[in-house]
Every structure is written in C-alpha cells, then in structure tokens.
Amino acid sequence: MPFNEHYQDDIIYITQLTRNVLSLLGVWPSMNRQRSTSEKICKFLLITISYILLYCVLIPGLLFWLIEQRTRVRIQTIPLIFYGFMATSKYGNLIYREREIKRCLKHIEEDWKNIMSVNARDTMIEAAKTGRRLVALCGAFMYGSGLSFRSILPLSKGKIVTPLNLTIKPLPCPAYFVFFDVQVSPAYETVFLIQFLSGIVTYSITVGMCGLAAVFVMHACGQLKILVDLMRNLVEEKWNEKNDVDRKLAKMVEHQIRVRNFLQLVEHTLQQACLIELLGCTMIVCLLGYCIIMEWENSNGIAMCSYFITITSLMINMFLFCYTGEQLTVQAEKVASTSCDLEWYRLPDKKARGIVLVMIISNLPTKITAGKVMDLSFKTFGDVRSKYLIIVRDNHNLCGTNTIDDY
C-alpha cells in the first residue's frame, strides 16, 4: 500500500508536457506494462515518419550546399544543415536511451509513491512546478520561433524574380532535388508542407530533451530539499523514543544514497544529448552571428530578423539547460552547508560519530555535465555568450575591411 495514494496523479502532472511531446515522437517509454502489438506498430510508424521528415530536409539541404557555388549562400546554409544533424543525433540518442529513461521515471514514481509527509509532498510539487514552467517556456520559444521561421518568414518574402527573369518561390530551408523541379506546383506546396512538418519534429526533439532534463533534475532538487529537512530534524532536542536517533539517521543516509544514485543514472542518460545540444548550439549561434553581420551590410531586414529570432531561441534553450544544472548545484551546496552546520553536540556521543560520513558524502560535488566535458551551469552559459560576442566582434572588424568575395 503506497503512502501517497495520489502518486499516479502526481506523476501525470509533472510529466504531462514532456510525455505529450515524446509520445508524438514515439519515444515515451511504457511504464507499468508491456506494449501491445498495435502500440508497437504505432511506435515504429511514428519513429519511421519522424526520421523520414528529418532526412527529407537534411539530404536535399546537403545536396544544395554541395552544388552551390556562392560562398555567402553556402555559409548561410551551414547552420540549417548542422541543426539537422543535431536533431537526428539527439533523436537517435533518445531511442537508444529509452531503457535508461524508463528507469529514471520508475525511480521518480517510487519517490512519489513513498512520500512520508505532507511537507515532503509540497516540497516535491514545488520543484515539479518549476520543471513544468521550464518545459513550457522552452516549448513556447522553440515552437514559436521555429515554426514562424518555417512558415511566416518564407511567405513574407514573396516571389523573387532573378535577373534571368525566373520566378523563385522561397522555401523554409534551401534544398536541391535531383528528380523534379521544386518550383513547379504541386511540388512546391508538397515540399513546403514537408519542411514545415519536419520543423515540428525537429523542435519537438529539442523540447523533449529539455523536458526530460527539467523533470529529472528538478525532481532531484526536490529530493535534496527533503534531505536538508531530514538533517535538521535529526538534531532536535527531544526524541520520542530511545532509538529515534538511529531511525532518523538511517532514513537520512538511505535518502542521500538514493538521491546520488538517481543523479548518476540521470547523468548517464542525458550526458551525450546535452553535449550535442550545447556544443551544437554554440557553433550555430556563432555562425548566425556572422550571417547577421553579412546581412547588415546588405540592409536585409527580413533575413536579419529571422537570424535574430533563431539566435534568441537557441540562447534561451541553452540557458534552460544551464539553469537546471545550476539549480542542482545550488541545492547541493545547501545540503553540504547544512551538514557542516548541524548541531551535532545535541546528539549522544556515540550517535554523533555517524554524522561524519554524512558530511563527507554531502560535500562531494553534485552536478550534471554535458558528456563529462562541461558542467551545466551559469558559468558555462556565460562562457558561451562571451565566445559569441567575441566572434561577432571579430567578424564585424573583418567585414568592415574586406568583402565576402575575399574569403
């Protein structure tokens, strides 16, 4: 019999947004039962369709980049191709890590099921609400900016007439098709729709990754807050029973070990995807900054607007990842300081010795990394922002003295 009778509703509440997005991609794991045959077929179809939509943009875009002779256009195409490779890699990682994601979700479910007090449940709900807000914010920016980039901006450009008197209808993403002319109806409308749907898949992958990181890490933050309360409760002046100290100490140690094991599992599950996200977005942001400088010279307001929107969404996405990691680090530091400030002298002499190991474990670093290369923290986000500003400044100086044909 679970202590928290409403744990299933709680699980649905904290995972609702992430579950909806990942279910659309076919990578949300089945929790308490085996999938039926129809569900397995549906999952296979969703994954297949998602990959087809991703490659329907990535491959023609790569072909366009290979045959294009203009240096400026090739540079402008690189961020789109690179982002396509990122989305494909992250999607493959989600599929490959489905078992680990399921283990993390089962761990969270057990924590919610075994809540011992109303205060602990309130603490966990408060952390879960923060996670939901992060997912909603990521979804709003990614879908809003991304889908406008693939629908409103191309349509706002209108038809372009070349010096050779050829009429070109712009696509959301540059593409080259060997076997048909994309400018002829209904091929143009079909490709436009495919690229729009591919954008939904691409941004859903990013939102799903951010959602998993927010749900997992903010749950760990809630557990660390409960650990702080257990530590403070350990050194109360009065105990109801003779063995009350042993019981509280055992519960605290068990909770601490469980939280650290969960964080190790989360680190193993998300580190590759976080590395792809941070490194990839950093490179794309720097390239887009260079593209903005080029369009500034041409006074192309529409292109500058599209690049600026994309940079903003990518920067916010990186900030959300780093924010979750920063919250975990801050909460872990609170655990460490609380363990050092415990009024151990209130405990019996022999019982006070048991706190030493708790203090040692509490002061070990607790953080989430991107592929064990960089920490998810405000410092990492600040470094990325500084590199972007430096590159934009240097490119501006170069463009001020040279033309694009010189490169």
Side-chain angles (χ1 to χ4, degrees), residues 257-319:
I257 293 174
R258 182 171 176 81
V259 173
R260 297 192 73 89
N261 289 338
F262 175 69
L263 287 173
Q264 289 178 359
L265 180 59
V266 172
E267 169 85 2
H268 179 69
T269 303
L270 299 180
Q271 60 178 349
Q272 291 90 355
C274 289
L275 181 63
I276 295 172
E277 187 71 30
L278 289 183
L279 290 182
C281 287
T282 301
M283 296 179 65
I284 292 175
V285 164
C286 294
L287 287 170
L288 291 178
Y290 181 69
C291 292
I292 288 179
I293 298 299
M294 291 193 298
E295 298 302 337
W296 180 278
E297 293 180 326
N298 297 332
S299 300
N300 191 339
I302 295 178
M304 289 177 59
C305 179
S306 64
Y307 289 142
F308 182 77
I309 291 174
T310 305
I311 287 177
T312 303
S313 63
L314 292 177
M315 294 294 285
I316 290 176
N317 186 43
M318 286 191 290
F319 174 80

Side-chain angles (χ1 to χ4, degrees), residues 116-165:
M116 298 297 294
S117 66
V118 177
N119 291 334
R121 184 173 182 270
D122 292 341
T123 300
M124 294 172 64
I125 289 178
E126 181 182 355
K129 287 181 178 179
T130 303
R132 279 176 60 96
R133 295 189 192 102
L134 293 176
V135 181
L137 185 63
C138 177
F141 275 97
M142 291 306 299
Y143 287 124
S145 61
L147 296 183
S148 65
F149 178 80
R150 299 212 178 192
S151 58
I152 299 175
L153 289 174
L155 295 176
S156 65
K157 295 178 181 179
K159 297 180 180 180
I160 302 173
V161 179
T162 66
L164 299 178
N165 200 25

Side-chain angles (χ1 to χ4, degrees), residues 46-63:
L46 287 173
I47 294 176
T48 303
I49 292 172
S50 298
Y51 266 121
I52 290 174
L53 289 173
L54 289 174
Y55 284 117
C56 280
V57 173
L58 181 59
I59 295 176
L62 187 59
L63 291 176

Side-chain angles (χ1 to χ4, degrees), residues 199-381:
I200 295 178
V201 174
T202 300
Y203 305 126
S204 295
I205 293 170
T206 301
V207 175
M209 281 301 312
C210 182
L212 288 177
V215 170
F216 294 163
V217 176
M218 295 313 300
H219 175 77
C221 289
Q223 295 300 300
L224 290 175
K225 291 180 181 179
I226 295 175
L227 180 59
V228 170
D229 294 336
L230 292 175
M231 289 181 175
R232 292 171 178 170
N233 190 36
L234 177 67
V235 293
E236 289 180 345
E237 294 184 5
K238 298 180 180 178
W239 298 280
N240 297 326
E241 301 177 5
K242 183 178 181 180
N243 296 325
D244 203 24
V245 178
D246 292 333
R247 180 181 60 82
K248 289 182 178 181
L249 183 59
K251 182 179 178 181
M252 182 179 65
V253 172
E254 181 182 356
H255 188 86
Q256 187 179 44
I257 293 174
R258 182 171 176 81
V259 173
R260 297 192 73 89
N261 289 338
F262 175 69
L263 287 173
Q264 289 178 359
L265 180 59
V266 172
E267 169 85 2
H268 179 69
T269 303
L270 299 180
Q271 60 178 349
Q272 291 90 355
C274 289
L275 181 63
I276 295 172
E277 187 71 30
L278 289 183
L279 290 182
C281 287
T282 301
M283 296 179 65
I284 292 175
V285 164
C286 294
L287 287 170
L288 291 178
Y290 181 69
C291 292
I292 288 179
I293 298 299
M294 291 193 298
E295 298 302 337
W296 180 278
E297 293 180 326
N298 297 332
S299 300
N300 191 339
I302 295 178
M304 289 177 59
C305 179
S306 64
Y307 289 142
F308 182 77
I309 291 174
T310 305
I311 287 177
T312 303
S313 63
L314 292 177
M315 294 294 285
I316 290 176
N317 186 43
M318 286 191 290
F319 174 80
L320 293 178
F321 274 92
C322 294
Y323 176 83
T324 56
E326 183 71 18
Q327 292 302 301
L328 178 63
T329 302
V330 169
Q331 198 58 48
E333 290 175 353
K334 291 182 180 180
V335 172
S337 62
T338 301
S339 68
C340 296
D341 295 339
L342 285 178
E343 298 175 346
W344 53 267
Y345 52 83
R346 292 184 176 180
L347 301 174
D349 294 341
K350 293 183 179 180
K351 308 298 182 184
R353 299 173 185 173
I355 301 182
V356 176
L357 292 177
V358 174
M359 295 173 62
I360 294 174
I361 297 299
S362 299
N363 282 273
L364 293 177
T366 302
K367 55 190 176 182
I368 296 294
T369 65
K372 299 187 183 298
V373 175
M374 62 183 75
D375 300 335
L376 296 184
S377 63
F378 285 160
K379 181 180 182 302
T380 300
F381 179 77

Side-chain angles (χ1 to χ4, degrees), residues 60-79:
L62 187 59
L63 291 176
F64 176 87
W65 185 83
L66 291 174
I67 68 170
E68 180 59 49
Q69 300 298 322
R70 292 168 295 179
T71 305
R72 181 188 294 267
V73 177
R74 296 189 75 181
I75 293 175
Q76 293 172 338
T77 309
I78 290 176

